[in-house]
Amino acid sequence: MGSFSEREKLAIAYTRLISETPLKFRPEMVEKVKAAFSEREFVILVSTAAQVNFWARLIQALGIPPAGFGE
C-alpha cells in the first residue's frame, strides 16, 4: 500500500474492519476515521463499504460464480 495516502490507508483499514465476520466495531478506529474525514465523507465511506459487502454476500448466497476479474 505504498502509493496510498494516509487517509486512503485509513479508509481501506476501516473498510476491512467493518467487512469482517463477525462484525467488530473498535471505538478508537471509528473516532480515528471520523477525525480524518468530514461527516459526509464518513457516511459515503461506510455506506459504500456496506453496499459492496451486501452485493458480495448476495451474489455468494445466490450461488453465482465469481467473474474471475481477480485472477
Side-chain angles (χ1 to χ4, degrees):
M1 283 204 282
S3 61
F4 292 108
S5 71
E6 290 305 312
R7 286 181 78 219
E8 290 168 331
K9 289 177 185 176
L10 183 59
I12 291 166
Y14 189 67
T15 299
R16 285 182 175 160
L17 178 68
I18 65 172
S19 297
E20 289 180 357
T21 301
L23 183 59
K24 298 175 190 172
F25 281 100
R26 297 185 187 135
E28 67 279 359
M29 181 61 137
V30 174
E31 291 308 314
K32 193 173 181 179
V33 174
K34 283 184 173 183
F37 293 90
S38 70
E39 183 177 2
R40 181 177 188 275
E41 290 171 326
F42 180 70
V43 170
I44 291 169
L45 173 65
V46 174
S47 60
T48 301
Q51 188 65 50
V52 171
N53 194 25
F54 168 78
W55 290 331
R57 290 171 187 263
L58 177 65
I59 288 167
Q60 287 178 344
L62 293 172
I64 299 170
F69 297 116
E71 297 171 0

